[in-house]
Amino acid sequence: DRQGGSVDKMMGLGMTTEQIVLRAYRTRPMRTVLLYQEPPETYDFIASLPSGNAEALQQELKRKLGIVAHREMLETNVLALTVKSSHAPSLRPSAMPNEDGTFTRSPGQMSIRNGSLSPLLALMEGQFQQPIVDRTGLTNHLDIDLKWNDADQTFHDPAVLEEVKQELMDQLGLELTQEIAPVEMLVVEKVKN
């Protein structure tokens, strides 16, 4: 391994194989299917190549642990995000489309300036623990402000999730509805070393 000013540096301490796979393949748990028994051990890793660290980590997972993965379209339960109202107060075209985009998050709120819906989708997937399919047709150069009641930090509570769905509708004019749809999933399995 080469050391030094790598912008692609990756490292992890005390991580499960699933956590390492998520880093190596740059995906989220709800878009991953594990077809092997997760071992109880944890691992440390450092990848500090000038580039290609994720690919190198994938190769090490295969070489050391016999873990491989491929992407596959699978039918699964999803939440579909659609525009219900185009006159929402907290979702609007960016006031500064020529500036760099920013994303900020703190308990109970998030803001995007001159960006896409991607950070919102990632946040909501993590909270709802389900893939979210973007059916809005909205693209880059948006300003988004979303606030929700996060006082008790129980975002996984069904009542709080329903409140968040309502805030998405009231503030952003966006609706989440349950459906079954094909989603690209990372299928992870163990092969013989």
Side-chain angles (χ1 to χ4, degrees), residues 112-153:
I112 297 171
R113 293 289 169 265
N114 190 31
S116 70
L117 288 175
S118 294
L120 175 66
L121 293 172
L123 174 67
M124 292 298 122
E125 276 194 4
Q127 301 307 324
F128 285 91
Q129 292 294 295
Q130 203 171 2
I132 295 180
V133 178
D134 183 2
R135 299 206 193 291
T136 64
L138 300 172
T139 58
N140 291 335
H141 309 300
L142 298 169
D143 289 343
I144 300 169
D145 293 296
L146 178 63
K147 295 180 181 177
W148 62 91
N149 180 3
D150 199 23
D152 55 8
Q153 301 292 318

Side-chain angles (χ1 to χ4, degrees), residues 74-91:
L74 298 174
E75 293 273 327
T76 189
N77 291 319
V78 301
L79 289 170
L81 185 70
T82 57
V83 175
K84 190 72 171 174
S85 169
S86 58
H87 304 292
S90 296
L91 174 68

Side-chain angles (χ1 to χ4, degrees), residues 46-80:
I46 297 176
S48 59
L49 300 170
S51 64
N53 283 311
E55 294 79 9
L57 189 53
Q58 292 170 20
Q59 290 303 312
E60 284 301 298
L61 279 165
K62 182 178 181 181
R63 189 173 73 80
K64 298 260 183 172
L65 302 173
I67 294 173
V68 295
H70 68 277
R71 297 189 190 277
E72 186 176 327
M73 294 300 286
L74 298 174
E75 293 273 327
T76 189
N77 291 319
V78 301
L79 289 170

